[in-house]
Amino acid sequence: MATDVRMPGEGYLSFWRERHICTLTTHRPDGSPHVTPVGATYEPQAGLARVITSGSSRKALNIAAEAAADPLGARVALCQLEGRRWATLEGRAVIRTEPELIADAERRYAERYQRTPRVNPGRVLIEIRLTRAMGNA
């Protein structure tokens, strides 16, 4: 079921506030999907989702390569589920390296997952400008 990215229903938004591991789907250089578990946060008012990761991770490298070829960013999907409830966010991702944006994403991660992310000097932010939301949460 389609959901408004910027004005989701309370059930959908509540589901994204709960502590769930997500999957992030990116595209490898050959076009095949790469799916990996991640922690993610969703800010509907800004139309953004955020994932923190190492800059050397396959997901970050996939996004950087695809975004280099397309100024809109790499096409990605972020999904979480629990039992019969599920929610997917789709959008265009870019890699951000600004320390203040990474710190903000770390704070959001700590709030959602109730734990501070480990120290990682190679950390980057995957910032996803959302274009679609769907689910049955």
Side-chain angles (χ1 to χ4, degrees), residues 48-85:
L48 292 175
R50 296 174 180 88
V51 174
I52 54 176
T53 190
S54 176
S56 61
S57 68
R58 172 50 44 204
K59 59 188 161 284
L61 296 173
N62 288 346
I63 289 168
E66 189 176 340
D70 187 334
L72 295 177
R75 291 179 186 267
V76 300
L78 187 63
C79 184
Q80 67 179 20
L81 64 102
E82 178 186 53
R84 299 184 82 182
R85 294 188 308 162

Side-chain angles (χ1 to χ4, degrees), residues 12-22 38-42 50 78-81 87 89 105-115:
Y12 193 85
L13 187 54
S14 177
F15 188 50
W16 276 101
R17 289 183 185 131
E18 295 171 11
R19 187 180 191 278
H20 296 287
I21 298 301
C22 304
V38 297
T41 61
Y42 172 35
R50 296 174 180 88
L78 187 63
C79 184
Q80 67 179 20
L81 64 102
L89 298 169
E106 290 170 336
R107 180 189 59 75
R108 291 170 187 276
Y109 176 97
E111 184 178 301
R112 181 176 189 198
Y113 292 98
Q114 289 123 29
R115 70 175 200 81

Side-chain angles (χ1 to χ4, degrees), residues 5 23-26 38 40-43 46-51 63 74-78 89-96 125-132:
V5 168
T23 61
L24 177 67
T25 303
T26 62
V38 297
T41 61
Y42 172 35
E43 184 184 2
L48 292 175
R50 296 174 180 88
V51 174
I63 289 168
R75 291 179 186 267
V76 300
L78 187 63
L89 298 169
E90 295 178 4
R92 297 292 193 128
V94 295
I95 301 298
R96 304 295 299 260
L125 166 61
I126 297 172
E127 183 180 79
I128 306 166
R129 293 233 167 257
L130 301 171
T131 56
R132 183 180 298 157

